[in-house]
């Protein structure tokens, strides 16, 4: 795996996605390929009022410590999540309470929220046995999950061990267990496939993919967009005509073929091929601002080095913008040392590789955070009444076709401002030894080892 645990495998942190990818911790709800909510530890749900939902808890589920899943256990897990510091990201700005009423779990939100089932699909709201939750706020997932694999040991930031759980409520896993190593170095991860040291490797770098046998590489579009954010609040890109000039200067195909060696997709919008409905429902964009003459306008373009492709993207983009008449100063730092300045609007333009669905399987939270007046991650400093109204409409629309249409209307409103110029959509590059079968290729990176993963 790419990243070692950062928070002791607490499900309230990003470590939750490891527990999900190992099929050891489970959620009340799953998402299908379209992003629609499907039963998991909850078998059904209904909305009893605009702020209240009732969930029917699956019967016959035994945790790895031998205790039983009940509505009370589920309510405890959600309550602990809401009390955590910091809160799980999926609960940002959400007031959520949970209680058991008989065999039903009742979930109430402070404001009407049509996305409650989708929120409960987040790995950060996994349901663990009651003994997992300490009085000090710490959570121990070792031996307390409900999935087909039981986490038996975690050795700091180096390895983890899981065994098949024969008491699983569903179908029995085909593999006897999972041995996990955390290897941040991409070259070393790729070498582990070549040498036979690993059966499954996540996040193979683009530079290494070409060096591996084709039959060991899988590419899956992921909900992540490489985007150029333009500062609309101050500096040259306060001018809509200059933002349009930057848009028309960019040749995304050159970035995909040159920097990503063809292992990415040219962006048609903010939402990419990991969400098939976006391409199917997107309409041609009209009423766009005409490009102005750059006339040597000086701009500062910034990005970060943590993702190895981004500095090269910035270098190519610098050349493209200069060819269009801009004078471009380039700034590249580690993300930890550049995020504060980027959020403060210290740069005219910023290249970011941005997840577009975050934790709920729905892009509205991303649109709110990045493009509304009160957005918490508004790098473009965009504050546009039309955009705010469109995003608010999408947020209030029930899940399904109508919500997707509203999301695409909001996307169009954002793109018309040229505050953000989507360039390309990245792909998950996964390595699988030829001796293994049944691993998941999941664009959301929630699933990896499944019931069907086994050696041939």
């Amino acid at each position: 795996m790419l990243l070692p645990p950062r928070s002791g495998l607490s499900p309230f942190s990003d470590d939750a996605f490891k527990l999900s990818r190992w099929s050891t911790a489970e959620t009340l709800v799953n998402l299908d390929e379209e992003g629609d909510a499907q039963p998991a530890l909850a078998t059904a749900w209904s909305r009893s009022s605009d702020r209240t939902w009732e969930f029917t808890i699956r019967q016959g589920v035994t945790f790895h410590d031998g205790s039983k899943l009940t509505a009370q256990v589920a309510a405890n897990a959600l309550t602990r999540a809401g009390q955590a510091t910091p809160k799980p990201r999926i609960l940002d700005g959400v007031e959520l309470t949970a209680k058991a009423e008989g065999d039903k779990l009742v979930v109430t939100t402070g404001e009407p929220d049509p996305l409650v089932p989708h929120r409960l699909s987040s790995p950060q709201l996994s349901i663990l046995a009651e003994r997992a939750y300490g009085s000090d706020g710490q959570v121990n997932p070792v031996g307390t999950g409900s999935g087909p694999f039981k986490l038996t040991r975690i050795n700091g930031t180096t390895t983890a061990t899981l065994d098949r759980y024969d008491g699983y409520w569903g179908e029995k896993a085909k593999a006897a267990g999972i041995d996990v190593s955390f290897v941040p170095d991409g070259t070393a991860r790729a070498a582990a496939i070549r040498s036979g040291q690993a059966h499954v490797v996540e996040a193979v770098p683009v530079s290494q993919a070409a060096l591996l046998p084709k039959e060991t590489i899988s590419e899956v579009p992921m909900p992540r967009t490489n985007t150029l954010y333009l500062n609309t609040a101050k500096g040259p890109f306060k001018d809509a005509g200059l933002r349009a000039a930057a848009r028309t200067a960019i040749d995304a195909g050159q970035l995909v073929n040159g920097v990503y060696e063809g292992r990415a997709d040219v962006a048609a919008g903010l939402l990419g091929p990991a969400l098939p409905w976006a391409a199917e429902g997107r309409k041609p964009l009209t009423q766009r601002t005409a490009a102005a003459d750059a006339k040597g306008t000086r701009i500062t373009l910034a990005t970060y080095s943590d993702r190895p492709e981004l500095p090269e993207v910035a270098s190519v983009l610098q050349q493209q913008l200069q060819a269009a008449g801009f004078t471009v100063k380039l700034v590249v730092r580690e993300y930890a040392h550049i995020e504060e300045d980027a959020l403060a609007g210290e740069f005219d333009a910023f290249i970011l590789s941005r997840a577009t669905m975050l934790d709920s399987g729905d892009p509205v939270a991303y649109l709110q955070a990045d493009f509304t007046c009160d957005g918490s991650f508004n790098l473009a400093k965009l504050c546009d009444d039309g955009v705010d109204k469109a995003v608010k409409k999408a947020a209030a629309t029930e899940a399904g076709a109508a919500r997707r249409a509203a999301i695409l209307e909001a996307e169009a409103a954002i793109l018309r401002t040229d505050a953000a110029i989507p360039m390309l959509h990245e792909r998950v590059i996964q390595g699988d030894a030829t001796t293994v079968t049944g691993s998941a290729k999941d664009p959301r990176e929630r699933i990896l080892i499944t019931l069907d993963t086994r050696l041939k």
Side-chain angles (χ1 to χ4, degrees), residues 185-201 204-214 216-217 431-434:
D185 182 81
T187 302
R189 288 198 307 281
I193 284 289
R194 278 195 299 270
S195 67
Q197 183 182 355
H199 295 114
V200 181
V201 167
V204 176
V206 168
S207 60
Q208 293 296 312
L211 305 178
L212 294 175
K214 288 183 179 180
T216 66
I217 290 293
D432 288 270
T434 55

Side-chain angles (χ1 to χ4, degrees), residues 105 258 312 315:
L105 170 70
E312 192 175 349
S315 180

Side-chain angles (χ1 to χ4, degrees), residues 63-97:
F63 290 102
H64 300 156
D65 67 349
S67 62
K68 303 291 185 182
L69 172 66
T70 64
Q72 181 58 51
V73 171
N76 175 69
L78 297 180
T79 299
R80 297 294 191 117
Q83 296 170 344
T85 304
K87 270 187 179 182
R89 195 170 50 220
I90 192 67
L91 295 180
D92 265 354
V94 177
E95 180 188 332
L96 184 148
T97 59

